[in-house]
Amino acid sequence: MARLPRLALAGHPHHLIQRGNNDQAVVVDTADRQMLLDTLGEQAQRAGVALHAYVILEDHFHVLATPPTAEALSLWMQAVGRRYVRHFNDRHGRRGTLWEGRYRGTVLQAERYFLPCMAYIDQHPVRAGLVEQARGYAWSSHGHYVGLRTDRFLTPHALYWALGNTPFAREAAYAEMVHAGPSRAEQLMLTEATRKGWAAGDAAFVERLQADTPRRLALTRAGRKPRTQGTSAAG
C-alpha cells in the first residue's frame, strides 16, 4: 500500500511524534535536551507555528502545535532536524540519520481532543515509569501550565484559557485534569490516529475536513469514499 502524504491542515492543532532511528537515543544529557527544546521553540516561531505542548524523552519527542499553513509543519520539523541533528552528531562524534524517518502525526478536533492530548503528552513520563507525577518531569510543558515555570516559546490554546478566569484557577484545573489523565478511549484514539495518520475526531468533523482535502482522513475500503462513522482512527 502506498504511503499517504502527511496530514497537515492550516489552523487545526496537530499531535506529532518523532522517534529515533531503531529506537536509539535522540538526547543523551541535559545539554541535548535543552538544545532540542530551544530548537523546537525557535524554529516554531520562525515557521509561524503555535507550539502548545511538548515532552522530550530519551528516544523520541511529542509536540502539540497549530500551523498557519499546511506546509508549515513540515518546514518546521525539517528545520528542527537540520539544526538539531547537526548538533547531536557533532557533539557525540557520530554520522548519519538520527530519526527513524518522517514524523508521525494527526490533526485533532480541538474541542474534543485538544485538552486530552495535552494530558496524554504530560502523562507520558508517568506511564513510562520515569516519575510518579507529571510535575516531577522537567522536560515537558506541564510545568508551564501548572505555574512552576515559564516556557517562553509556548502558546496556550484558547481551550486552556477557558479552564479558569485567573492563572491560579487555570493551573489548578489543568493539574487536576492531568492527574485524572485521558480516558482509555481517548488514549487509544490519540495513539492510533497519530500512528496511522488519520484525523482524530467525530464523524462530522472528519466529513468537514474531507471536503477541503483530497488526502484520505480515515481508513477506507478500496474504491469507496472515506468512511466517517464514529472515530476516524479505525483499524
Side-chain angles (χ1 to χ4, degrees):
M1 181 180 294
R3 176 179 287 182
L4 288 171
R6 290 188 182 97
L7 177 56
L9 297 170
H12 292 278
H14 293 67
H15 173 222
L16 309 181
I17 303 175
Q18 180 68 77
R19 295 189 176 277
N21 189 38
N22 293 322
D23 294 324
Q24 72 183 61
V26 299
V27 291
V28 173
D29 54 21
T30 297
D32 286 344
R33 290 175 175 85
Q34 189 63 58
M35 180 62 178
L36 179 53
L37 177 57
D38 290 345
T39 303
L40 284 166
E42 290 167 3
Q43 297 303 322
Q45 288 189 333
R46 290 186 179 183
V49 173
L51 176 58
H52 307 300
Y54 67 87
V55 65
I56 296 173
L57 298 138
E58 182 180 19
D59 60 356
H60 70 289
F61 66 83
H62 296 242
V63 290
L64 178 58
T66 300
T69 66
E71 298 78 21
L73 286 180
S74 289
L75 294 174
W76 173 40
M77 297 301 285
Q78 288 168 10
V80 168
R82 284 193 299 269
R83 182 176 180 191
Y84 180 73
V85 174
R86 183 168 60 247
H87 154 86
F88 190 87
N89 284 354
D90 289 348
R91 186 164 186 260
H92 298 290
R94 67 183 299 278
R95 287 181 168 185
T97 184
L98 180 61
W99 314 121
E100 70 169 0
R102 66 181 193 171
Y103 62 83
R104 297 179 182 271
T106 183
V107 62
L108 305 176
Q109 182 180 5
E111 62 272 23
R112 185 165 182 173
Y113 287 111
F114 184 87
L115 291 175
C117 189
M118 283 186 69
Y120 173 84
I121 289 172
D122 284 353
Q123 279 283 354
H124 203 299
V126 178
R127 294 193 302 272
L130 301 176
V131 291
E132 292 185 359
Q133 298 182 28
R135 66 188 296 118
Y137 193 73
W139 299 100
S140 81
S141 50
H142 184 75
H144 175 88
Y145 287 107
V146 297
L148 298 179
R149 65 173 189 276
T150 299
D151 284 347
R152 60 193 177 95
F153 292 126
L154 289 179
T155 302
H157 193 276
L159 289 167
Y160 172 80
W161 288 108
L163 289 175
N165 293 324
T166 66
F168 178 80
R170 287 190 292 273
E171 291 160 6
Y174 182 70
E176 179 59 31
M177 185 188 71
V178 173
H179 179 72
S183 68
R184 180 63 176 166
E186 289 169 338
Q187 185 172 324
L188 287 172
M189 161 58 86
L190 291 166
T191 299
E192 287 298 289
T194 305
R195 182 171 67 86
K196 297 176 180 178
W198 306 125
D202 61 25
F205 172 76
V206 176
E207 186 174 1
R208 288 196 302 272
L209 292 188
Q210 193 66 76
D212 295 329
T213 177
R215 196 269 199 196
R216 288 186 292 123
L217 301 180
L219 186 63
T220 63
R221 294 180 181 178
R224 295 193 177 189
K225 293 181 180 180
R227 295 173 59 190
T228 57
Q229 295 179 356
T231 59
S232 62

